[in-house]
Amino acid sequence: MLGKLLKYDLRANLKIFLFIWPAIVVFSLLERLLVALMPSSSPIAQVLIIMTIMVFMMALVAACIFSLVISVIRFYSGLLRDEGYLMFTLPVKTWQLVLSKLISAFVFVFGTALLSVAGGYCLLDALPNFSATFFTTIRYIVQGSDENVLMLVLAAVNFVLSPIALLLQVYFSCSIGHLGKRLRVLWSILTFYGVSVVMQIVNTVAIVVIPFGLSDKLALTEIQTAALTQGFTCIESIALCVVFFFVSERILRRHLNLE
């Protein structure tokens, strides 16, 4: 049944992202062509190139934020609004409903992020010597030591975990806010803000103080310290994902009130 739910959620989101994803690709190619045709020797052209890159990067960030907002709306309207009357009458478990929304949201949020990164690279690749410098830097990091490779792998894992943790934090906040009898959206926003503040404090301790404190005691190099920091981030993200998911599922399963 999870497969059927996921198929429904993917189709519903695909109707929206069929316009967003091609737009990112088309505008990336157009921006690359525009930057490539500009005479880089002219000071005015250099200013225009910088402005074009900044505006396009802001547009890519806006696309990622929009995909996140769409995913949040799909979760809230699908499970906590009128559509929830239908969804919770289906012969499925609550965790399957939450997981289906999460997987669908992750596919489109992460897909938009990947396309945005690819679009940014496509634009910057039009600049002189960008690709050569970029790949030379990556090759230097990879060939440096095992700690360098470990750091890159952990950074990639964090890149994947970050949208999952953010989505689950939103689901958690919406579920907590849903417990209120009035002003549920406001309570959800306040919960999200409160959790973000607590997480920021925990991050300062777990990701900054602890790794750098251990690096002094164990005489770790900068790369080893960076890898250790990425490792702490991975552990924290996984722990938060587990907590957010199961708390959200329990609230929706035992304290659901769609009135």
Side-chain angles (χ1 to χ4, degrees):
M1 193 63 184
L2 177 61
K4 293 182 179 179
L5 287 173
L6 188 57
K7 185 178 180 180
Y8 166 77
D9 287 326
L10 289 174
R11 282 183 175 178
N13 283 332
L14 189 60
K15 295 177 182 178
I16 301 174
F17 286 89
L18 275 177
F19 298 95
I20 298 177
W21 286 355
I24 294 176
V25 175
V26 171
F27 281 110
S28 298
L29 295 176
L30 290 177
E31 289 289 336
R32 175 188 170 88
L33 180 63
L34 178 64
V35 172
L37 293 177
M38 284 186 180
S40 57
S41 58
S42 172
I44 298 178
Q46 291 179 358
V47 174
L48 290 176
I49 289 175
I50 294 175
M51 292 179 61
T52 300
I53 293 175
M54 291 180 61
V55 171
F56 183 67
M57 291 300 180
M58 291 174 63
L60 293 181
V61 173
C64 294
I65 295 175
F66 179 75
S67 66
L68 178 62
V69 171
I70 292 298
S71 301
V72 172
I73 292 175
R74 288 289 304 162
F75 173 82
Y76 191 81
S77 62
L79 298 182
L80 301 177
R81 300 286 290 179
D82 293 342
E83 191 177 343
Y85 286 105
L86 173 63
M87 299 303 294
F88 283 99
T89 57
L90 297 175
V92 295
K93 296 182 179 180
T94 305
W95 68 266
Q96 292 177 316
L97 293 172
V98 178
L99 184 60
S100 175
K101 297 292 184 185
L102 176 63
I103 294 175
S104 176
F106 172 77
V107 167
F108 290 100
V109 171
F110 190 70
T112 304
L114 284 180
L115 276 178
S116 298
V117 172
Y121 176 81
C122 179
L123 174 60
L124 295 174
D125 187 48
L127 301 178
N129 300 322
F130 175 80
S131 291
T133 304
F134 177 78
F135 286 108
T136 300
T137 303
I138 295 296
R139 192 179 303 111
Y140 173 78
I141 294 175
V142 171
Q143 294 178 350
S145 63
D146 294 338
E147 287 82 1
N148 293 357
V149 177
L150 178 61
M151 183 189 65
L152 288 179
V153 171
L154 291 175
V157 172
N158 281 320
F159 182 70
V160 175
L161 287 175
S162 295
I164 298 177
L166 180 58
L167 287 167
L168 285 173
Q169 182 184 348
V170 174
Y171 294 176
F172 171 82
S173 301
C174 291
S175 301
I176 295 294
H178 183 73
L179 296 176
K181 295 182 179 180
R182 299 177 60 185
L183 303 175
R184 293 178 175 178
V185 175
L186 177 60
W187 283 114
S188 299
I189 295 174
L190 291 176
T191 301
F192 183 86
Y193 177 77
V195 171
S196 298
V197 171
V198 173
M199 288 174 55
Q200 188 64 39
I201 296 174
V202 173
N203 285 339
T204 303
V205 176
I207 301 178
V208 178
V209 177
I210 294 178
F212 282 93
L214 290 176
S215 66
D216 292 336
K217 293 182 180 180
L218 301 177
L220 301 179
T221 63
E222 292 183 1
I223 295 297
Q224 291 173 335
T225 303
L228 184 61
T229 303
Q230 293 290 344
F232 271 102
T233 305
C234 286
I235 295 173
E236 182 197 25
S237 297
I238 293 173
L240 288 174
C241 288
V242 172
V243 172
F244 289 153
F245 180 86
F246 284 103
V247 172
S248 301
E249 188 274 339
R250 184 178 181 84
I251 291 175
L252 295 179
R253 176 163 48 90
R254 296 198 174 187
H255 304 285
L256 182 65
N257 182 10
L258 297 176
E259 294 182 0

